[in-house]
Amino acid sequence: MITPTAPFPAPRAAAAAAGLTVAIDIGGTKIAGALVHPDGTMTATTRRTTPRGVDAEGVMAAVTEVVDDLSGSPLWASAVRCGIGSAGPVDTSRGTVSPVNIGAWREFPVQARVAAELAARGAGLPTVLAGDGVAMTAAEHWLGAARGHANALCMVVSTGVGGGLILNNQLHPGPTGNAGHIGHMSVAFDGEPCVCGSRGCVESIASGTAIARWARDQGWTPQAGASNGNGTGSARDASAAGVAAAAAAGDPIALAAFDRAGRALAAAIAATATLVETDIAVIGGGVAASGDILFAPIRTHLAAYATLSFVKELQVVPATLGTHAGLIGAAAAATMLLPSSPTP
């Protein structure tokens, strides 16, 4: 059982939030599940490693095992809704996913398949699919750093850059579940081509992959870490985490790589705030774990981009839920997007 450090209120549709939510979090490394209570506590947590080298049904088999584990809980009959958070791309209008890091799933009908597994175990529940950035947004608004903010942008900065929006205290996923996908906002008119087909996208500058690639292209080389106890030293870290460590030690190329990423993020955050008047940007993900190495340049550059009176007070803060965000976000998204979920 995972219990928050303090009790939290249920999502804003208090009456609808009664009952448990089946939460499923699908990512490239793990598939997790839990029964989430209206105060955010989780019971019956379970997980499987995301299968590799299998077909679509092989991946679905792991999801089925997670659902089966949850159905064995004595609280299973108290579930009233289900939320699925998944790596993307997603198309919530069709209930399908094509995760970049799960090659076996292309336009896979995960929402319908999960609903069928629930029904087979006596739980014919209303079910919602959300992309992982949208799920993280729902989580941070419910229990995390965006709590109490009516309008917020939440972002995941990792191997890619994703995000989601809260507008007027409502989760705003858009028609296909991709609203707020800030990683593919172009911030560099003559920038590098992006994998999405556009040019100068935030993701092509500020993702962990992009930070490490740019630093290496500028001549940065990772240094061996401290001794690992046998006198040989640790492996050289050529990832964004290695660049962050070098930046913390004062390496000028590493510092420039994070300054460049921070500038791209600041430009996109300011543009989003100007468009829809968000007053906070919450940033999570692996790259955000570098702390002020990332946040200091974002805040510095934000002062140059967020200049209008209604965005000058815009805050940029780290996410607070960490690894819990996926499951909590799946539950929060279901509660916010299924406000009239009936109690069986």
Side-chain angles (χ1 to χ4, degrees):
M1 177 175 178
I2 301 172
T3 305
T5 56
F8 294 104
R12 285 164 175 77
L20 300 183
T21 302
V22 177
I24 298 173
D25 178 27
I26 299 170
T29 59
K30 59 94 172 58
I31 297 168
L35 298 178
V36 181
H37 296 253
D39 66 353
T41 58
M42 295 192 289
T43 57
T45 54
T46 184
R47 63 183 290 166
R48 295 290 189 278
T49 299
T50 303
R52 297 290 180 189
V54 298
D55 62 10
E57 292 303 319
V59 179
M60 185 62 208
V63 178
T64 299
E65 290 177 8
V66 166
V67 174
D68 200 50
D69 286 351
L70 296 178
S71 70
S73 167
L75 296 174
W76 179 248
S78 299
V80 298
R81 68 186 73 81
C82 174
I84 307 163
S86 176
V90 304
D91 184 344
T92 59
S93 68
R94 301 170 59 211
T96 61
V97 297
S98 303
V100 171
N101 48 12
I102 305 179
W105 276 6
R106 289 295 173 266
E107 298 186 5
F108 186 78
V110 67
Q111 183 172 341
R113 294 294 301 274
V114 168
E117 295 296 338
L118 296 172
R121 291 160 180 79
L125 306 178
T127 301
V128 160
L129 170 65
D132 51 6
V134 171
M136 176 264 193
T137 299
E140 290 292 333
H141 185 247
W142 179 18
L143 303 180
R147 186 180 174 201
H149 290 265
N151 301 286
L153 166 68
C154 297
M155 304 172 62
V156 180
V157 183
S158 187
T159 52
V161 177
L165 290 167
I166 295 289
L167 301 177
N168 296 323
N169 279 321
Q170 299 295 317
L171 188 63
H172 182 73
T176 65
N178 292 288
H181 200 341
I182 194 170
H184 294 289
M185 178 183 291
S186 180
V187 293
F189 183 72
D190 294 318
E192 297 178 7
C194 179
V195 292
C196 75
S198 185
R199 184 177 290 274
C201 291
V202 174
E203 184 172 301
S204 70
I205 300 170
S207 69
T209 306
I211 290 170
R213 182 180 63 246
W214 187 87
R216 292 193 301 269
D217 288 348
Q218 302 307 306
W220 174 77
T221 55
Q223 301 299 308
S227 173
N228 59 15
N230 61 13
T232 60
S234 62
R236 297 172 186 267
D237 187 353
S239 70
V243 180
D251 183 285
I253 295 176
L255 285 166
F258 271 88
D259 184 75
R260 179 175 180 265
R263 184 179 182 185
L265 290 166
I269 290 167
T272 302
T274 302
L275 185 66
V276 295
E277 289 199 63
T278 53
D279 61 4
I280 190 169
V282 177
I283 304 179
V287 176
S290 58
D292 279 348
I293 296 298
L294 177 68
F295 284 91
I298 291 175
R299 290 169 179 145
T300 297
H301 288 295
L302 193 63
Y305 290 112
T307 58
L308 293 169
S309 61
F310 60 93
V311 292
K312 277 189 174 181
E313 302 303 317
L314 178 63
Q315 301 177 55
V316 178
V317 300
T320 61
L321 295 177
T323 57
H324 296 176
L327 286 170
I328 292 175
T335 302
M336 297 178 83
L337 297 174
L338 292 169
S340 57
S341 302
T343 300

